[in-house]
Amino acid sequence: MESQRGNLMAEEEFSELAAARRIQRLTSHISPAVTAPSQLPLVQTEACSSRLKKLEVNGEALSLHMRGKHMDVQEKVFEFFNSRPDLQTPIEISTDEHRELCMRQLLALVREAGVRPFRYVADDPEKYFAISEAVGSVDMSLGIKMGVQFRLYKNSFEVLINIGFGSNVQGLQTTATFDPMKDEFVIDTPHDGAIKWWIGNAAVHGKFATVFARLILPTHDSKGVSDMGVHAFIVPIRDMKTHQTLPGVEIQDCGHKVGLNGVDNGALRFRSVRIPRDNLLNRFGDVSRDGKYTSSLPTINKRFAATLGELVGGRVGLAYASVGVLKISATIAIRYSLLRQQFGPPRQPEVSILDYQSHQHKLMPMLASTYAYHFATVHLVKKYSEMKKTHDEQLVADVHALSAGLKSYVTSYTAKALSVCREACGGHGYAAVNRFGSLRNDHDIFQTFEGDNTVLLQQVAGDLLKQYKEKFEGGTLTVTWSYLRESMNSYLAQPNPVTARWEGEDHLRDPKFQLDAFRYRTSRLLQSVAMRLKKHSKTLGTFGAWNRCLNHLLTLAESHIESVILAKFIDAVQSCPDPSARAALKLVCDLYALDRIWKDIGTYRNVDYVAPNKAKAIHKLTEYLSFQVRNVAKELVDAFELPDHVTRAPIAMQSDAYAQYTQVVGF
Amino acid sequence: MESQRGNLMAEEEFSELAAARRIQRLTSHISPAVTAPSQLPLVQTEACSSRLKKLEVNGEALSLHMRGKHMDVQEKVFEFFNSRPDLQTPIEISTDEHRELCMRQLLALVREAGVRPFRYVADDPEKYFAISEAVGSVDMSLGIKMGVQFRLYKNSFEVLINIGFGSNVQGLQTTATFDPMKDEFVIDTPHDGAIKWWIGNAAVHGKFATVFARLILPTHDSKGVSDMGVHAFIVPIRDMKTHQTLPGVEIQDCGHKVGLNGVDNGALRFRSVRIPRDNLLNRFGDVSRDGKYTSSLPTINKRFAATLGELVGGRVGLAYASVGVLKISATIAIRYSLLRQQFGPPRQPEVSILDYQSHQHKLMPMLASTYAYHFATVHLVKKYSEMKKTHDEQLVADVHALSAGLKSYVTSYTAKALSVCREACGGHGYAAVNRFGSLRNDHDIFQTFEGDNTVLLQQVAGDLLKQYKEKFEGGTLTVTWSYLRESMNSYLAQPNPVTARWEGEDHLRDPKFQLDAFRYRTSRLLQSVAMRLKKHSKTLGTFGAWNRCLNHLLTLAESHIESVILAKFIDAVQSCPDPSARAALKLVCDLYALDRIWKDIGTYRNVDYVAPNKAKAIHKLTEYLSFQVRNVAKELVDAFELPDHVTRAPIAMQSDAYAQYTQVVGF
């Protein structure tokens, strides 16, 4: 953190204030304090006077530009659960009760509220993800359980993996052997080591499982059988009426988890379980009545890749839902920080804790990032919807890489941000009722499931290297990184010593400077890692070289994703029709861009992309923009349109509830 | 994170591998995987061959140098709870049950195990903190509850605040009015807003509370009473026999928290509760039978400062306990990462996931930091013990600042590290049984109680500014920052352009270079912030200027604490008698120092303290040292002497239990 705040150096000397300050600080965080507020003035008077320059934001226009097409269905979900206190997850609940409640929530959503997400999985993914986000804000377990449950029927492959984590190389030993006599498959898990764990809905509620298994066909040659590779099968695991576990199926419970305890994860083992031939999910390969295999894809590996390719929907959903969690968390922390009064300048009213520079530093770049990720994931969902309609090959590749990158980048950020928010709200952030604990515990695993973030970033880096290679062979580039071809040559030239010294605010806030800086970094990282890989592979082999450059590759992937996010953010600013809303967005966009540049200032300084004084100017402007964003923080947070009954934390209530809470809780 | 890994740039071109890699990566994190291990070789062969150069560490000598004097009592605590499964906290437990269990654990510790921590609070704090660390590793709620409970009797002031958080300016409205007729004080909370919340042990188990209240004495002048300022009083809150709440005492329950739910926090309100005159804690001020007030301290403010000064013990304890949590967490993550095999080079055995560069990057600087903080907090506890014996004024000031700095710095680090450890263990880190969830939730509030970290760092910065001022007035400096006087002038000269280019390993691993770099940064930050404060105070006033420089001040404080930690670490390396243990310590010390310099490389580059090529050399050496530390990671972790029944996480078991777990859990 220090490099973000630090390195301001100058030439005068200082007079006084430490001893008195020390006592004063000491008193300010314990109770009871020793003096009246007027004697404990901690905050700059400037903060108050500068607010006169405050930008007037048209909140309605800002909300309109932010809100998706499907706000209505989100509101329907919010209203339904608000009207049903019996369906709200209590602050403290046992795992068993949570699992049952979560099932009741899900059934009520479909049967009583009439919200039927499974309708939209394939036909209107934007609407599906909007429902998913809203449901997740009620209880993240419900959001995940819904994903596991409903995507089964429309998009079957994604089911098991949707909540599955862990990397089980033996898992593939499960077989589905075709029995032509009975027109059935026989599913077998050969031994305990091949058991699949962490399957969502398996421990208690699931009726069916989608099982990956090797398809084994009888042949007439000497081997007797032929292994057609991995396919997916629908296997009933519990009786439709009695809910008893079916013969040959063994189920174990994965037990208590750090979070998401409303989801019942379990392990499955099959002993000669028979299913009809029709239960083979035959999109990528099929078996006829007489045991003949057909597929539009020529090899086992291609079929497996196609099967895995379906995973992308889960990643899109997680990236989108992670932004939803970040919005709730940032909203609670910022609303509290605006409401919470503490001390103030001599003989002036107390000011909000968001007037502290350190508090702005914690929360304002986070608010800017929330906006950045909002626009980036809205873009991703749109691309995904297009892909589902057109099946355009270019678009498939683009969505694949973009979803891997955004899922890993956004979920890692949100996980850290949740801790920052808790800490920014002090002791009250630690009361379970204020939600940071459950949000953090539930969201934590977003970094791991649907592909571990470290692994996904390597996919992004791998794709960039592929593009880099193709550039030199004249091949096509996917949409997301076409900027690399367009500008690789110019970015890889030596930095311009003249612009490296420009430090005016107009220049630093010019989207062209910002985007150039982001893309320059990506281009340099790409070129240099390609060269290092080539060099090391001579002595270490391909795999040794990859591992030797692993940190470098991860940095490259993150840098690229940041470039993509910034580009989408700049588009969103420019397309905003209302001038005041556009000005507010420009402010957060600039803060996002400059904060990221400052965080990696060492890289830019090392190649003299920015001169020392320009580095200082970037830092100074970042602090100033944080202060400016603070002045419209309320409007920016309100534009997320999260009412009190969705945020739920008493410390963030906009109504009288906050005053009631402070009275009861004894601030 | 990117600046730690990134910015390596060079000049060749790369050939191949992306597409195959992408599929391969994709398969590596889902189950079932598509190919046999021999076809999925992800790790550098170098990792294996280089292990031949592995340092042979004398583990016993290393442990001996690490272990405190009081390992025996820690082992007694561990053994006792290991022998009593009925006293172990289950993975899932309700708040009510947890509170009762925690009380039973505490009683059993004292009555059955015969461990009596309260004996040592004042006389042998090193032993007290050792017990506290061991007890905290059993259940952190127990560690905190013990602190609240036992420190009451010996060191009374610290009690309420020990678990109290929140900053209640109205709290001081509580009064203790002396009634000379009955020789009693009458305690009154004037209204709801003056209620003190978050008091440990208050909701269920407490018999007494230590209450801060204004001491009101009757006078014979026209005012009728005189307010003598804040004093502490022992107030019985429940009947010793029936445990009923006493008349005039109202108690509310603070409810479910993010963690530490074994501690029953509550709120207290008093309505004319009478206590004997003797219940005034009279160390800093006393009242005679006839209502005369005496004190060795002349003013209300001095008495209040002395009262608050007693807080320091709680901070020492938290800093120490936080290192204990970091040790457990790092041990679980590293042992798992060594045990967990995944893929490997072609036709070679699978390697541990700690062979991945990215995994080393996550965990090896963390291991180095754990060592650094171990020696720093051992030093702090020693200083604190001396202080308790001598009451030397210089030492009091030194311990005060050092405890504030280390408490905030170490707890912030550990909080982040716990999330990194969870994530490094993937899905299995998310199983509650593997402990990262409860460790993180319990430890989280360490950042807030006993003084919010952001507030404490400001105290450190305030003290540094005071020292800075005194330097120019020829005053004395406290022990901790005497380096500032000795070397301020040399540090504030222009960086040496010759040494800025030295990049040899001997130079970079020279403690003098490392310590100079740390202290240079602190000195520059101190000088520049002093100057900025002076400049801004002319236009913004003292308080406005402080807020305008707040981020800068926090960076200064962190930089200073890092300098102190490094200096103690270097001492610990040099005083290690065994050569192989010393070599291992030198390795982690170098990694700690260079990783920190690299993290703030922008600052050093901006003033040309290091040239671009030196910056690259530092980065390269940091990666290399991480790799070297990985090769002795087992020995370094073993030296913490945490047996399986203390770490408890199945994924980190050294015995057959790990194999059993993998079989059951289905890796």
Side-chain angles (χ1 to χ4, degrees):
Chain A
M1 296 294 276
E2 63 274 18
S3 67
Q4 294 154 242
R5 287 195 304 252
N7 89 4
L8 287 168
M9 299 184 169
E11 323 290 318
E12 292 170 48
E13 195 210 323
F14 173 65
S15 56
E16 199 268 319
L17 88 68
R21 177 119 248 131
R22 175 170 147 194
I23 300 294
Q24 187 177 301
R25 289 286 162 185
L26 192 53
T27 62
S28 75
H29 63 281
I30 57 135
S31 168
V34 70
T35 42
S38 66
Q39 292 167 263
L40 282 171
L42 294 175
V43 166
Q44 59 185 31
T45 50
E46 176 221 35
C48 306
S49 60
S50 292
R51 249 178 267 157
L52 299 173
K53 290 186 287 179
K54 180 175 174 317
L55 178 69
E56 289 296 331
V57 182
N58 180 337
E60 213 170 310
L62 183 58
S63 299
L64 201 67
H65 187 61
M66 289 286 289
R67 71 156 64 195
K69 280 188 290 188
H70 302 292
M71 202 71 185
D72 50 342
V73 72
Q74 292 196 318
E75 271 164 17
K76 188 173 174 184
V77 171
F78 293 156
E79 285 306 328
F80 174 70
F81 284 100
N82 190 37
S83 72
R84 290 290 300 274
D86 61 305
L87 291 176
Q88 277 162 26
T89 310
I91 301 305
E92 187 180 5
I93 184 168
S94 73
T95 290
D96 287 344
E97 288 168 335
H98 198 176
R99 288 170 169 188
E100 290 312 313
L101 174 61
C102 204
M103 192 69 205
R104 284 203 307 279
Q105 290 169 335
L106 189 56
L107 292 174
L109 182 77
V110 177
R111 292 177 188 167
E112 299 175 47
V115 176
R116 298 199 165 79
F118 56 90
R119 286 187 179 174
Y120 312 115
V121 173
D123 302 335
D124 192 351
E126 287 177 75
K127 188 162 185 174
Y128 173 77
F129 289 122
I131 295 170
S132 182
E133 184 194 18
V135 164
S137 78
V138 172
D139 184 334
M140 191 49 76
S141 286
L142 177 60
I144 298 296
K145 196 172 178 82
M146 184 186 99
V148 177
Q149 191 79 16
F150 290 119
R151 288 163 73 211
L152 173 67
Y153 299 101
K154 289 282 176 180
N155 219 352
S156 298
F157 294 116
E158 303 178 36
V159 182
L160 287 192
I161 297 167
N162 197 46
I163 186 75
F165 39 72
S167 162
N168 178 1
V169 279
Q170 275 79 44
L172 233 222
Q173 296 171 25
T174 297
T175 53
T177 308
F178 183 60
D179 174 359
M181 304 293 285
K182 297 198 170 176
D183 198 22
E184 289 175 343
F185 289 105
V186 184
I187 310 288
D188 263 303
T189 311
H191 55 81
D192 281 353
I195 291 174
K196 170 74 184 124
W197 280 75
W198 300 112
I199 303 166
N201 289 348
V204 181
H205 296 124
K207 301 271 194 203
F208 297 93
T210 307
V211 175
F212 282 86
R214 294 188 173 277
L215 198 172
I216 309 292
L217 290 181
T219 55
H220 302 289
D221 60 17
S222 58
K223 280 164 72 189
V225 292
S226 177
D227 181 342
M228 307 310 295
V230 179
H231 289 68
F233 302 84
I234 297 285
V235 183
I237 57 173
R238 288 189 178 88
D239 187 274
M240 287 303 283
K241 283 178 189 159
T242 66
H243 203 65
Q244 292 296 306
T245 304
L246 291 171
V249 177
E250 290 171 15
I251 301 177
Q252 282 178 272
D253 192 324
C254 294
H256 195 56
K257 305 189 296 290
V258 171
L260 293 182
N261 279 305
V263 183
D264 51 311
N265 296 78
L268 288 176
R269 175 171 183 156
F270 301 101
R271 296 182 194 269
S272 301
V273 173
R274 289 186 161 264
I275 56 170
R277 181 168 55 91
D278 282 353
N279 285 23
L280 165 64
L281 293 167
N282 59 2
R283 187 152 152 205
F284 300 115
D286 203 358
V287 173
S288 64
R289 177 66 193 90
D290 58 348
K292 290 277 185 309
Y293 184 80
T294 51
S295 171
S296 56
L297 299 168
T299 66
I300 286 185
N301 279 349
K302 285 222 162 152
R303 290 196 291 271
F304 187 65
T307 304
L308 294 181
E310 291 292 316
L311 286 173
V312 78
R315 289 177 192 157
V316 174
L318 283 188
Y320 195 79
S322 184
V323 179
V325 172
L326 184 57
K327 280 179 190 167
I328 292 176
S329 179
T331 298
I332 295 172
I334 291 168
R335 283 192 177 147
Y336 169 74
S337 301
L338 285 166
L339 285 163
R340 175 91 162 104
Q341 304 287 308
Q342 200 175 48
F343 314 118
R347 281 162 297 282
Q348 289 184 39
E350 294 189 315
V351 296
S352 82
I353 56 173
L354 200 54
D355 285 321
Y356 289 91
Q357 190 185 48
S358 55
H359 224 73
Q360 288 164 13
H361 176 72
K362 282 173 195 163
L363 298 176
M364 296 301 96
M366 186 194 294
L367 180 56
S369 297
T370 310
Y371 268 81
Y373 306 158
H374 167 86
F375 292 116
T377 51
V378 163
H379 167 75
L380 172 63
V381 168
K382 203 171 291 172
K383 286 269 168 193
Y384 176 78
S385 298
E386 271 175 56
M387 182 198 89
K388 280 287 192 187
K389 285 193 189 94
T390 64
H391 296 282
D392 176 78
E393 210 173 300
Q394 199 84 309
L395 205 51
V396 169
D398 195 28
V399 169
H400 188 274
L402 191 60
S403 64
L406 280 176
K407 182 273 189 186
S408 55
Y409 189 85
V410 170
T411 60
S412 290
Y413 185 94
T414 298
K416 291 185 192 78
L418 283 161
S419 288
V420 174
C421 287
R422 197 301 290 161
E423 195 243 321
C425 297
H428 289 292
Y430 201 59
V433 72
N434 289 318
R435 296 193 68 195
F436 295 118
S438 58
L439 286 172
R440 179 172 59 193
N441 288 337
D442 288 346
H443 177 277
D444 190 3
I445 198 64
F446 281 34
Q447 299 173 95
T448 303
F449 63 15
E450 298 280 352
D452 179 272
N453 285 356
T454 304
V455 174
L456 293 184
L457 287 176
Q458 289 179 65
Q459 289 186 31
V460 173
D463 277 1
L464 285 166
L465 284 161
K466 190 178 159 206
Q467 306 289 331
Y468 182 79
K469 194 185 158 217
E470 284 176 1
K471 173 185 140 61
F472 288 95
E473 294 174 357
T476 55
L477 288 162
T478 55
V479 184
T480 306
W481 16 78
S482 58
Y483 75 86
L484 287 174
R485 184 174 51 191
E486 287 161 17
S487 44
M488 195 78 155
N489 293 336
S490 68
Y491 288 134
L492 292 180
Q494 282 304 304
N496 183 330
V498 176
T499 55
R501 277 171 177 70
W502 288 357
E503 37 185 279
E505 186 175 331
D506 285 351
H507 168 67
L508 298 179
R509 298 185 67 175
D510 181 349
K512 181 169 162 28
F513 158 70
Q514 297 164 359
L515 209 48
D516 275 355
F518 276 50
R519 291 174 170 181
Y520 171 80
R521 187 164 69 112
T522 309
S523 302
R524 288 298 297 251
L525 286 165
L526 178 54
Q527 193 204 32
S528 55
V529 83
M531 182 215 44
R532 288 186 65 213
L533 283 170
K534 191 176 180 188
K535 188 182 83 179
H536 288 305
S537 61
K538 287 172 194 159
T539 52
L540 302 174
T542 308
F543 304 108
W546 186 270
N547 192 35
R548 177 64 79 85
C549 300
L550 201 43
N551 291 337
H552 193 154
L553 288 160
L554 297 173
T555 306
L556 164 66
E558 287 167 350
S559 173
H560 167 67
I561 293 300
E562 286 179 349
S563 305
V564 174
I565 292 170
L566 179 62
K568 291 299 145 203
F569 201 172
I570 290 169
D571 288 351
V573 174
Q574 288 169 351
S575 68
C576 180
D578 178 80
S580 76
R582 193 167 58 243
L585 287 175
K586 176 83 175 88
L587 208 54
V588 277
C589 186
D590 288 342
L591 178 56
Y592 170 77
L594 294 173
D595 178 64
R596 285 301 189 288
I597 293 172
W598 174 248
K599 276 201 174 113
D600 201 19
I601 198 69
T603 298
Y604 291 105
R605 283 288 303 117
N606 256 1
V607 292
D608 276 317
Y609 192 85
V610 299
N613 281 337
K614 185 171 191 163
K616 277 190 212 174
I618 290 169
H619 183 213
K620 205 173 163 186
L621 185 54
T622 305
E623 283 191 344
Y624 180 69
L625 289 172
S626 285
F627 169 71
Q628 292 283 65
V629 170
R630 176 259 170 271
N631 286 337
V632 288
K634 184 187 178 305
E635 291 83 345
L636 286 166
V637 156
D638 287 351
F640 298 149
E641 300 198 327
L642 294 169
D644 284 354
H645 64 264
V646 174
T647 57
R648 294 204 300 278
I651 54 168
M653 294 287 170
Q654 298 165 284
S655 62
D656 290 347
Y658 174 75
Q660 288 163 26
Y661 177 73
T662 58
Q663 203 164 11
V664 175
V665 175
F667 276 73
Chain B
M1 296 296 276
E2 62 276 15
S3 67
Q4 293 154 243
R5 287 194 304 250
N7 91 4
L8 287 168
M9 300 186 168
E11 320 290 316
E12 294 169 46
E13 194 210 322
F14 173 67
S15 57
E16 200 267 320
L17 88 70
R21 175 121 249 129
R22 175 170 148 195
I23 299 295
Q24 188 176 298
R25 290 285 162 185
L26 192 53
T27 62
S28 75
H29 65 280
I30 58 133
S31 169
V34 70
T35 42
S38 66
Q39 293 168 261
L40 282 170
L42 294 177
V43 166
Q44 58 185 31
T45 49
E46 176 221 35
C48 305
S49 60
S50 293
R51 249 179 267 157
L52 298 174
K53 291 186 285 180
K54 181 176 175 318
L55 178 68
E56 288 298 329
V57 182
N58 180 337
E60 214 172 309
L62 183 59
S63 298
L64 201 68
H65 188 61
M66 289 286 290
R67 70 155 64 194
K69 279 188 290 188
H70 301 292
M71 202 71 186
D72 51 342
V73 71
Q74 292 197 317
E75 271 164 18
K76 188 173 174 183
V77 171
F78 293 156
E79 285 306 328
F80 174 70
F81 284 99
N82 191 36
S83 73
R84 291 289 300 274
D86 61 305
L87 290 176
Q88 278 163 26
T89 311
I91 299 307
E92 186 180 6
I93 184 168
S94 74
T95 290
D96 288 344
E97 288 169 334
H98 197 177
R99 286 171 170 187
E100 290 312 313
L101 174 61
C102 204
M103 191 69 205
R104 284 203 308 279
Q105 290 170 334
L106 188 56
L107 292 174
L109 182 76
V110 176
R111 291 178 187 166
E112 299 175 46
V115 176
R116 298 198 166 80
F118 56 91
R119 289 186 177 174
Y120 313 113
V121 173
D123 301 336
D124 191 352
E126 286 176 76
K127 188 161 185 175
Y128 173 77
F129 289 122
I131 296 170
S132 182
E133 186 195 16
V135 164
S137 78
V138 172
D139 184 334
M140 191 49 76
S141 286
L142 177 60
I144 298 298
K145 196 173 178 81
M146 185 187 98
V148 178
Q149 190 80 15
F150 289 119
R151 287 163 73 211
L152 172 67
Y153 298 100
K154 290 280 174 182
N155 220 351
S156 298
F157 294 115
E158 303 178 38
V159 180
L160 286 192
I161 297 166
N162 197 45
I163 185 78
F165 38 72
S167 161
N168 178 1
V169 279
Q170 275 81 44
L172 231 223
Q173 295 170 26
T174 298
T175 52
T177 308
F178 183 59
D179 175 358
M181 305 294 286
K182 297 199 171 174
D183 198 21
E184 288 174 343
F185 289 106
V186 184
I187 310 288
D188 263 303
T189 311
H191 54 79
D192 281 352
I195 290 174
K196 170 74 184 125
W197 280 73
W198 302 111
I199 303 167
N201 289 348
V204 181
H205 296 125
K207 300 271 194 205
F208 298 93
T210 306
V211 175
F212 282 86
R214 293 187 173 278
L215 199 173
I216 309 291
L217 290 180
T219 56
H220 300 293
D221 60 17
S222 59
K223 280 164 74 190
V225 292
S226 178
D227 181 342
M228 306 310 295
V230 179
H231 290 68
F233 303 83
I234 298 285
V235 183
I237 56 172
R238 288 191 177 88
D239 186 273
M240 286 303 282
K241 283 180 190 156
T242 66
H243 203 67
Q244 292 296 305
T245 303
L246 290 171
V249 177
E250 290 171 15
I251 302 177
Q252 282 177 271
D253 192 324
C254 293
H256 195 56
K257 304 189 296 290
V258 171
L260 292 182
N261 279 305
V263 183
D264 51 311
N265 296 77
L268 289 175
R269 176 172 181 154
F270 302 101
R271 296 182 195 271
S272 301
V273 173
R274 290 188 162 264
I275 55 169
R277 180 170 54 92
D278 281 355
N279 286 21
L280 166 65
L281 292 167
N282 59 1
R283 186 152 154 206
F284 301 115
D286 205 358
V287 173
S288 65
R289 176 65 192 88
D290 58 348
K292 289 278 186 305
Y293 183 80
T294 51
S295 172
S296 55
L297 298 168
T299 65
I300 286 184
N301 279 349
K302 285 224 160 144
R303 291 194 291 271
F304 187 65
T307 305
L308 293 182
E310 291 291 317
L311 286 173
V312 78
R315 288 176 194 158
V316 173
L318 283 188
Y320 196 80
S322 184
V323 179
V325 173
L326 184 57
K327 280 179 191 166
I328 292 176
S329 179
T331 298
I332 295 172
I334 291 168
R335 284 192 176 148
Y336 169 73
S337 301
L338 285 167
L339 286 163
R340 175 91 162 105
Q341 304 286 310
Q342 201 174 46
F343 314 119
R347 279 162 298 283
Q348 289 182 39
E350 292 189 316
V351 297
S352 81
I353 56 174
L354 199 54
D355 285 321
Y356 288 91
Q357 190 186 49
S358 55
H359 225 73
Q360 288 164 14
H361 176 71
K362 281 174 195 161
L363 297 177
M364 295 301 96
M366 186 194 296
L367 179 56
S369 298
T370 310
Y371 267 82
Y373 306 158
H374 167 85
F375 292 116
T377 51
V378 163
H379 167 76
L380 173 63
V381 168
K382 203 172 290 171
K383 286 269 168 196
Y384 176 77
S385 297
E386 270 175 56
M387 182 198 89
K388 279 287 191 189
K389 285 192 187 96
T390 64
H391 295 284
D392 175 78
E393 210 173 298
Q394 199 85 310
L395 204 51
V396 169
D398 196 27
V399 169
H400 188 273
L402 191 60
S403 64
L406 280 176
K407 182 272 188 186
S408 54
Y409 189 84
V410 170
T411 60
S412 290
Y413 184 94
T414 299
K416 292 185 191 78
L418 284 161
S419 288
V420 174
C421 286
R422 196 302 290 160
E423 195 242 320
C425 297
H428 288 293
Y430 201 58
V433 72
N434 289 318
R435 296 193 69 196
F436 295 119
S438 58
L439 286 172
R440 179 172 59 195
N441 287 337
D442 288 346
H443 177 277
D444 189 3
I445 198 64
F446 281 34
Q447 300 173 94
T448 301
F449 63 15
E450 297 281 352
D452 178 272
N453 285 356
T454 303
V455 174
L456 292 184
L457 287 175
Q458 288 179 66
Q459 289 186 30
V460 173
D463 276 2
L464 285 166
L465 284 161
K466 191 178 158 207
Q467 306 289 333
Y468 182 79
K469 193 185 158 215
E470 284 176 2
K471 172 186 140 61
F472 287 95
E473 293 174 357
T476 55
L477 288 161
T478 56
V479 184
T480 306
W481 16 78
S482 58
Y483 76 85
L484 287 174
R485 185 175 49 192
E486 286 160 19
S487 44
M488 194 77 154
N489 294 335
S490 69
Y491 288 133
L492 293 179
Q494 282 304 305
N496 182 329
V498 177
T499 56
R501 277 172 176 70
W502 289 356
E503 36 184 280
E505 187 175 331
D506 285 352
H507 168 68
L508 298 179
R509 297 185 68 174
D510 182 348
K512 183 167 160 31
F513 158 70
Q514 297 164 0
L515 208 48
D516 275 356
F518 276 51
R519 290 174 170 181
Y520 172 80
R521 186 164 68 113
T522 309
S523 302
R524 287 298 298 250
L525 286 165
L526 177 54
Q527 193 204 32
S528 56
V529 84
M531 183 215 43
R532 288 186 66 213
L533 283 169
K534 190 176 180 189
K535 188 183 84 179
H536 288 306
S537 61
K538 288 173 193 158
T539 51
L540 303 173
T542 309
F543 304 107
W546 185 271
N547 193 35
R548 177 63 78 86
C549 300
L550 201 42
N551 291 336
H552 193 155
L553 288 159
L554 297 173
T555 306
L556 164 66
E558 287 167 349
S559 172
H560 168 66
I561 293 301
E562 287 180 348
S563 304
V564 173
I565 292 170
L566 179 62
K568 290 299 144 202
F569 201 172
I570 290 170
D571 288 351
V573 174
Q574 288 168 351
S575 67
C576 180
D578 178 80
S580 77
R582 191 166 61 242
L585 287 174
K586 177 82 176 90
L587 207 55
V588 276
C589 186
D590 288 342
L591 178 56
Y592 170 76
L594 295 173
D595 178 63
R596 285 301 189 287
I597 293 172
W598 175 248
K599 277 203 174 111
D600 201 19
I601 199 69
T603 299
Y604 292 105
R605 283 289 302 119
N606 257 2
V607 292
D608 275 318
Y609 191 85
V610 298
N613 282 337
K614 185 171 191 164
K616 276 190 213 174
I618 289 168
H619 183 214
K620 205 174 163 185
L621 186 53
T622 306
E623 283 191 343
Y624 180 68
L625 289 172
S626 285
F627 169 70
Q628 291 283 66
V629 170
R630 176 259 169 274
N631 286 336
V632 288
K634 183 187 179 306
E635 291 84 344
L636 287 166
V637 156
D638 287 350
F640 297 149
E641 300 198 328
L642 294 169
D644 284 355
H645 64 264
V646 175
T647 56
R648 295 204 300 277
I651 53 168
M653 293 286 171
Q654 299 165 284
S655 62
D656 291 346
Y658 174 75
Q660 288 164 25
Y661 177 73
T662 58
Q663 202 163 13
V664 174
V665 175
F667 275 74

